[in-house]
Amino acid sequence: MRQFIAGVPDDLIDAARMDGASELLILFKIVAPSVAPAIAALALFAFVYHWNSYLWPLTVLQGNAHEYPIVISLSRLLSYNRGALNTGLVMAGATLAVLPPLVLFVFLQRFFVDSIVGSAVKG
């Protein structure tokens, strides 16, 4: 994020200051729209990281099987040599586990495409 924000032209920020914009206005009206693709990527990475978290919920939710996240529930289905017996159930659970990050990616895809189009060399 630091490198992406550092890539915002200083001339653009100076021009906003010359027009009388406050620092918060510069942040929200100039810098934030310029770094929207990086914010979208960071949001996607953070969501997938927390969605797939395994160790912390396993530590905190000891004994509360009805509160386990889907990742731990899938690992419990595959353990104890029951994975071969419940393949349909495991595949359905894996499909459900993939859907929220996939929907978020599809929603944020326009920011990634705008970033690619905006970084093209114009001439």
Side-chain angles (χ1 to χ4, degrees):
M1 286 300 295
R2 183 200 175 282
Q3 287 301 112
F4 210 89
I5 292 172
V8 175
D10 291 333
D11 295 336
L12 189 61
I13 295 172
D14 291 338
R17 283 192 184 118
M18 292 293 288
D19 288 341
S22 67
E23 294 299 318
L24 283 176
L25 187 67
I26 292 171
L27 177 66
F28 289 117
K29 295 285 186 177
I30 295 172
V31 176
S34 299
V35 298
I39 293 171
L42 181 63
L44 182 65
F45 290 148
F47 178 79
V48 169
Y49 172 77
H50 289 291
W51 182 256
N52 291 331
S53 65
Y54 181 81
L55 188 59
W56 177 249
L58 186 64
T59 304
V60 174
L61 299 174
Q62 288 291 334
N64 298 330
H66 64 280
E67 295 178 359
Y68 282 157
I70 195 163
V71 176
I72 295 175
S73 299
L74 284 175
S75 71
R76 288 173 54 103
L77 279 175
L78 288 173
S79 63
Y80 309 118
N81 295 328
R82 293 185 299 176
L85 300 175
N86 298 326
T87 54
L89 185 62
V90 171
M91 290 304 292
T95 303
L96 288 176
V98 167
L99 282 179
L102 187 65
V103 167
L104 185 65
F105 174 76
V106 169
F107 177 71
L108 296 176
Q109 184 179 10
R110 69 181 180 101
F111 291 107
F112 302 136
V113 172
D114 289 345
S115 172
I116 293 169
V117 169
S119 65
V121 176
K122 297 174 184 155

